[in-house]
Amino acid sequence: MRSIEKNYGNIVALAGVSFDVRPGECHCLLGDNGAGKSTFIKTMSGVVQPTRGQIVVEGRPMSFQSPRDAMNAGIATVYQDLAMIPLMSVARNFFMGREPTTGWGPFKRFDVERANSVTMAEMKKMGINLREADQAVGTLSGGERQTVAIARAVHFGAKVLILDEPTSALGVRQTANVLSTIDRVRKQGVGVVFITHNVRHAMAVGDRFTVLNRGKTLGTSQRGEITPDQ
Ligand code: ADP
Ligand code: ADP
């Protein structure tokens, strides 16, 4: 993001935000309610267009008119609601909306076996052993669901992964699992933007930390420069 401004009428949601993430890095964006985090996410993921400023991907200025444009540029967003259907299987959710990329096409039969085996393998890599691939997403814990959503984005080619408060609704153990999922995908070379208001969660996996306040960044710290008590 280069000097991104976003106004809603005369409300300034982002007042000139510059932010970058590199391959294999976890860059945490910390901010309280009203800081502009939702607007930041929406701008980066093509849901809204900035009033001023640019999004640059691998040196190229982009103009995202839709979430599809951002996805095509390799920017994937995992929202808190995860965009999953609880009664459907993990595999169905994993491949939802992606049928064309598999070559099966919307009117062809969904290849359950293939979807199941890919999904099982991807989840295993993330440390989750599904009982069966047609296990419904709704039977998974909140942390496991986050991991499904993250694995799905990475499987389909995310270079940058934006995570919207992935740990905010989770208990201690599920949080630890999600943080280790973040660490895993980071090590695979994905650039992670971890949006959170929890400093400790950020400290656990972050390489850089930027604070957003009233639509402005208050500065960036490297890992090691700050301690959780500051
Ligand atoms: P956060 O996600 O950090 O809580 P938001 O990006 O939702 O922050 O909001 C930043 C500011 O922009 C707030 O003052 C909010 O009320 C305002 N805002 C956000 N979205 C809209 C909108 N669609 N229309 C008008 N004001 C908005
Ligand atoms: P979150 O805690 O997820 O950031 P918010 O309460 O900040 O949620 O905002 C929820 C949604 O409502 C966001 O998409 C945000 O852009 C929108 N929003 C926030 N403030 C306003 C506002 N004043 N007018 C219209 N939409 C708003």
Side-chain angles (χ1 to χ4, degrees), residues 8 11-13 31-40 42:
Y8 295 106
I11 296 170
V12 180
D32 286 329
N33 284 340
K37 301 193 299 300
S38 299
T39 305
F40 176 98
K42 287 183 189 169

Side-chain angles (χ1 to χ4, degrees), residues 70-139:
M71 277 170 67
N72 289 342
I75 299 177
T77 307
V78 175
Y79 291 97
Q80 272 184 296
D81 69 9
L82 300 179
M84 285 198 260
I85 300 174
L87 287 175
M88 284 186 1
S89 72
V90 175
R92 283 272 179 183
N93 276 283
F94 201 92
F95 282 93
M96 197 170 15
R98 295 295 189 154
E99 291 82 354
T101 65
T102 65
W104 300 329
F107 301 110
K108 290 185 192 153
R109 210 165 156 268
F110 185 76
D111 188 339
V112 178
E113 305 255 304
R114 193 169 144 199
N116 284 356
S117 75
V118 170
T119 305
M120 294 268 268
E122 291 290 349
M123 295 319 294
K124 198 167 180 193
K125 274 197 233 162
M126 294 291 177
I128 295 177
N129 286 307
L130 294 175
R131 273 187 277 120
E132 53 224 348
D134 62 357
Q135 191 174 340
V137 155
T139 66

Side-chain angles (χ1 to χ4, degrees), residues 50-199:
T51 308
R52 268 181 283 280
Q54 271 185 333
I55 308 273
V56 178
V57 178
E58 291 174 330
R60 268 182 304 165
M62 310 299 285
S63 167
F64 297 150
Q65 299 302 313
S66 69
R68 178 62 60 188
D69 289 348
M71 277 170 67
N72 289 342
I75 299 177
T77 307
V78 175
Y79 291 97
Q80 272 184 296
D81 69 9
L82 300 179
M84 285 198 260
I85 300 174
L87 287 175
M88 284 186 1
S89 72
V90 175
R92 283 272 179 183
N93 276 283
F94 201 92
F95 282 93
M96 197 170 15
R98 295 295 189 154
E99 291 82 354
T101 65
T102 65
W104 300 329
F107 301 110
K108 290 185 192 153
R109 210 165 156 268
F110 185 76
D111 188 339
V112 178
E113 305 255 304
R114 193 169 144 199
N116 284 356
S117 75
V118 170
T119 305
M120 294 268 268
E122 291 290 349
M123 295 319 294
K124 198 167 180 193
K125 274 197 233 162
M126 294 291 177
I128 295 177
N129 286 307
L130 294 175
R131 273 187 277 120
E132 53 224 348
D134 62 357
Q135 191 174 340
V137 155
T139 66
L140 301 179
S141 70
E144 289 170 333
R145 272 178 258 172
Q146 278 287 341
T147 295
V148 173
I150 292 169
R152 174 173 68 178
V154 173
H155 179 78
F156 290 106
K159 288 184 278 191
V160 170
L161 193 56
I162 303 169
L163 303 177
D164 180 14
E165 300 271 4
T167 57
S168 68
L170 305 179
V172 174
R173 181 173 334 152
Q174 291 302 324
T175 294
N177 289 340
V178 169
L179 294 176
S180 73
T181 297
I182 293 173
D183 197 45
R184 255 196 201 98
V185 299
R186 187 173 61 90
K187 285 179 178 143
Q188 289 173 30
V190 175
V192 178
V193 180
F194 179 11
I195 319 274
T196 181
H197 60 264
N198 190 304
V199 178

